[in-house]
Amino acid sequence: PRQQSESSVSQQSGKMFRAVALACAVSSAAATLELTPDTFEDQVFKSGKSAFIKFFAPWCGHCKKMKPDWDTLATEYESSDKVLIADVDCTAAGKSLCDKYGVKGFPTIKYFNPPDEEGEDYKGGRSLSDLKKFAAELGPGCSVDTMENCSDEQKAELQTYIDMSAEDRAKMLEDLKTELKTAEEKHDTLLKELQATYKESMDKVEALKEASAPKIKLLKAATPSAKKEAVKDEM
């Protein structure tokens, strides 16, 4: 009986060990590649892949909710030579990347199709099926090196820029970036002004409430109840 008991304990221990090992393996496999400023350029711009990137904060509830599906997607594309699925932690080493790409809420998902280095906001659904469908459609965009990916309209417009000198293209690109940056700065300034105005107005309302409360209380206290008024009239 003692030998049977020891054998049973040994079997249970073995099962427990295998279960823990399996859980660790699954957890390890589910980990999504996390990018930092040191790895972002090589992984996103120099790999030749399209990139689907989630900018997140660990404390964000929506980020936690979508993490299992995002990790599943990352696992499916782990060995892909066309699409990279990755994370950027905006509270840690990736903060400067989040600032660079204008991340203001979490999670923010962006995609980069070569040769695009600006990134575009993903505005689709957050379910695993939605993410899978979008990832499957990612690929190199329209460029001088991939004319086969251009529509006739894109080819015509692209040719206009191809015919420009490198200096003129660079200047035009810089002017557009400056215009966009100026517009964003004006928007941020307006937002801060509106927030300040809102706070000032709210402070006035709260101050008035606090100042009026004692008077309102006394005015109500000075008004006889309907029952007492009725008794007074009868007398």
Side-chain angles (χ1 to χ4, degrees):
R2 182 177 179 180
Q3 289 179 342
Q4 289 179 348
S5 177
E6 289 177 349
S7 176
S8 176
V9 170
S10 177
Q11 289 177 355
Q12 290 178 353
S13 298
K15 289 180 180 179
M16 185 178 295
F17 176 79
R18 287 193 294 273
V20 171
L22 178 61
C24 291
V26 170
S27 176
S28 176
T32 300
L33 174 67
E34 188 170 308
L35 301 176
T36 68
D38 293 333
T39 60
F40 195 88
E41 185 173 348
D42 286 340
Q43 292 284 353
V44 178
F45 302 142
K46 295 182 179 180
S47 66
K49 299 180 182 181
S50 293
F52 201 19
I53 301 174
K54 171 167 61 72
F55 296 82
F56 76 102
W59 47 259
C60 161
H62 292 299
C63 302
K64 292 178 182 178
K65 184 177 180 181
M66 75 172 296
K67 177 175 171 56
D69 286 342
W70 187 259
D71 286 345
T72 297
L73 184 71
T75 300
E76 291 187 8
Y77 280 88
E78 190 173 12
S79 59
S80 172
D81 59 356
K82 294 182 179 179
V83 177
L84 168 72
I85 309 296
D87 278 337
V88 173
D89 186 345
C90 295
T91 67
K95 185 179 184 306
S96 61
L97 290 172
C98 299
D99 294 338
K100 178 180 179 180
Y101 290 105
V103 174
K104 299 184 184 299
F106 307 115
T108 290
I109 304 175
K110 290 181 177 286
Y111 61 95
F112 299 76
N113 277 327
D116 173 33
E117 295 188 0
E118 304 299 321
E120 295 186 54
D121 289 333
Y122 169 71
K123 299 178 180 179
R126 302 292 176 87
S127 69
L128 181 57
S129 60
D130 289 328
L131 296 170
K132 280 185 176 182
K133 182 179 179 182
F134 187 81
E137 296 171 352
L138 287 172
C142 171
S143 76
V144 67
D145 297 320
T146 55
M147 294 290 281
E148 66 276 10
N149 296 329
C150 304
S151 65
D152 291 340
E153 184 178 346
Q154 287 175 321
K155 286 179 181 178
E157 186 172 2
L158 184 61
Q159 190 60 51
T160 301
Y161 302 134
I162 292 173
D163 293 340
M164 295 171 65
S165 67
E167 292 77 10
D168 287 343
R169 279 198 304 272
K171 184 179 184 307
M172 187 175 186
L173 180 60
E174 191 59 34
D175 288 345
L176 287 170
K177 287 183 176 180
T178 299
E179 182 181 2
L180 179 59
K181 183 178 180 181
T182 300
E184 289 176 341
E185 288 174 348
K186 286 183 178 179
H187 172 75
D188 290 341
T189 299
L190 176 61
L191 183 60
K192 289 178 181 178
E193 290 174 352
L194 290 173
Q195 289 173 335
T197 301
Y198 173 82
K199 185 179 184 306
E200 182 182 354
S201 177
M202 181 58 70
D203 289 344
K204 287 181 179 179
V205 170
E206 292 300 324
L208 181 59
K209 282 182 180 179
E210 187 175 349
S212 302
K215 292 181 181 179
I216 291 174
K217 187 175 182 180
L218 288 174
L219 284 168
K220 287 182 177 180
T223 303
S225 65
K227 185 176 181 180
K228 286 189 176 182
E229 283 290 334
V231 172
K232 184 178 179 181
D233 290 342
E234 289 176 0
M235 293 175 63

